[in-house]
Amino acid sequence: MDRREFVKTLGTCSIAAGGIVLGVPMFGQEKEPPQKVETNILDFTKVPKTRYSLPGPFPGRVIRVTDKRSLQEDRFDAKVIAEMVEKGIARLTGKSTKESFGLFFEQNDIIGLKVNPVGPPLINTRPELVEAVIEWLVTSGVPKQNIIIWDRFDYMLKDAGFTPARFPGVGIQGLQTMDETGNNWRDQDGNHLSINNFDREFYYFAKGVVGKNVQGYKDDEFYLNQHVFNGEYSYFGKLITRKLTKIVNLAAYKNTGNAISMACKNLGYGSICNSGRLHAPLSLNVCAEVLAAPVIRDKLVLNITDGIRGQYEGGPDKNAQFVYANHSLYFATDPFALDMVCHRELVGKRKEMGIQVNENPRFTEYLHYGEKLGLGVANVEKINLVQV
């Protein structure tokens, strides 16, 4: 069984979120809301915020830039997308892109660009968007070697076009590798090859929730190959905790069941290991609580959701029959306001296309939870959506 076949066996019944292949029912398909689980969220909230902490300088403000020239006859126009990035940042901040840089970064920052490489070539974060963001950073004085494109799995980055050939001089890094055959992922001492990529000092804890006999995984070895650990702790990648000083979140625009897999989920499930165990008991709350961790909360300075293409059903992996040209990029420092705008848009698109939609409030409760945690704005009456 080769790597792609290996992943495919998971993909038929799983979620791939922010580079994570998971093995439990999609968000929005659960019959009952998850039970309350004790986590270490209170530890996160005790840490004082910094000047860069969520929701950033523009809580509740979302900019949508639309340009139909960005995607014509399945061809992405990099020049138009770069123009859209410039417009979006300028409208978000009220300043030029040059002046905006100083609101988010310093020239010696190590900046991680968190992409979503799941579902290439149809519904992943587009390389053209990443190129435009890199150009902005480099022209603002950030050395290329201080920029790192990252995700959970290294092979997914390559499959989605994030290669040294396309991005010379820029770092490209997966938090972990997954053995291509699914059989040889331990080192000579029996440890997971990626075990040292995760930081034991920074973790998301869920009491009593362990990665054993997890639904969707054929056995515990299968689970460990993907998730590195299987106890009560999900560790953050060392790339996040020890190297990156800022994060730009570049999510894709797609559904997962009746919910969405966009900005909050790209980091909520894409920053930690041992996440497959969390889906059934904690579901979307992980997307709020992981973003509350200071290692994310204090570094995530900008979110751009790539909605040049959208997918309104069959996500988060690609499903060609539900992909459409949306011609839009979305900008916000506040990922919760951003996701609320995109969720409501996608619900409208699903209805328009005849999809049976479950509008149970639980599919957006994590956004309101994020607001209660002081991370953003989810109340639609307080969100300022600007169309450009």
Side-chain angles (χ1 to χ4, degrees), residues 85-331:
V85 168
E86 187 170 347
K87 287 180 183 176
I89 293 170
R91 288 301 297 268
L92 175 65
T93 65
K95 301 176 182 293
S96 68
T97 50
K98 182 179 180 180
E99 293 171 324
S100 299
F101 175 84
L103 291 176
F104 307 123
F105 309 105
E106 297 175 358
Q107 291 180 337
N108 62 352
D109 271 325
I110 308 297
I111 302 171
L113 307 182
K114 173 63 175 76
V115 299
N116 184 336
V118 177
L122 292 178
I123 198 61
N124 55 294
T125 304
R126 290 297 308 180
E128 292 85 352
L129 170 61
V130 178
E131 287 169 338
V133 174
I134 290 173
E135 179 65 19
W136 170 45
L137 297 175
V138 171
T139 57
S140 299
V142 179
K144 270 192 172 181
Q145 62 267 27
N146 284 18
I147 302 171
I148 302 173
I149 301 167
W150 68 279
D151 184 62
R152 174 84 176 270
F153 290 104
D154 49 9
Y155 77 89
M156 286 188 174
L157 290 167
K158 180 180 179 182
D159 287 352
F162 299 107
T163 63
R166 177 144 188 177
F167 294 92
V170 173
I172 301 171
Q173 186 171 335
L175 297 186
Q176 70 175 85
T177 190
M178 184 169 66
D179 180 71
E180 295 193 358
T181 64
N183 296 316
N184 300 305
W185 50 273
R186 295 181 186 273
D187 62 20
Q188 59 184 5
D189 296 321
N191 296 316
H192 196 292
L193 293 169
S194 302
I195 198 168
N196 290 324
N197 293 352
F198 292 93
D199 195 330
R200 308 294 183 92
E201 296 181 10
F202 295 91
Y203 53 81
Y204 178 62
F205 170 77
K207 187 175 182 179
V209 180
V210 297
K212 293 182 181 296
N213 301 315
V214 179
Q215 181 183 357
Y217 297 85
K218 65 182 182 181
D219 54 41
D220 291 343
E221 278 289 286
F222 200 68
Y223 182 89
L224 275 170
N225 183 16
Q226 291 182 67
H227 293 286
V228 187
F229 300 89
N230 64 358
E232 294 178 309
Y233 295 83
S234 290
Y235 302 104
F236 288 88
K238 287 181 180 176
L239 172 69
I240 302 164
T241 62
R242 301 191 184 189
K243 189 165 187 177
L244 300 181
T245 57
K246 299 288 170 53
I247 296 171
V248 178
N249 186 18
L250 303 173
Y253 187 96
K254 50 190 168 183
N255 83 302
T256 174
N258 286 291
I260 61 171
S261 180
M262 300 193 200
C264 294
K265 194 156 174 277
N266 195 37
L267 283 166
Y269 275 90
S271 302
I272 55 175
C273 64
N274 192 17
S275 56
R277 70 191 175 104
L278 303 172
H279 284 77
L282 281 148
S283 189
L284 292 161
N285 279 351
V286 172
C287 302
E289 295 195 340
V290 169
L291 267 64
V295 292
I296 300 295
R297 182 199 67 188
D298 301 342
K299 297 181 180 184
L300 174 56
V301 292
L302 181 63
N303 303 270
I304 306 175
T305 294
D306 180 355
I308 301 294
R309 264 194 189 127
Q311 182 172 309
Y312 59 87
E313 177 68 341
D317 205 351
K318 62 179 178 290
N319 196 321
Q321 65 176 311
F322 303 118
V323 170
Y324 66 106
N326 190 47
H327 298 120
S328 299
L329 296 176
Y330 303 77
F331 300 79

Side-chain angles (χ1 to χ4, degrees), residues 354-376:
I355 302 296
Q356 186 174 0
V357 178
N358 183 341
E359 295 189 79
N360 191 304
R362 73 173 183 269
F363 302 121
T364 55
E365 283 176 352
Y366 71 104
L367 300 175
H368 295 285
Y369 182 31
E371 181 171 329
K372 290 179 181 176
L373 292 171
L375 304 173

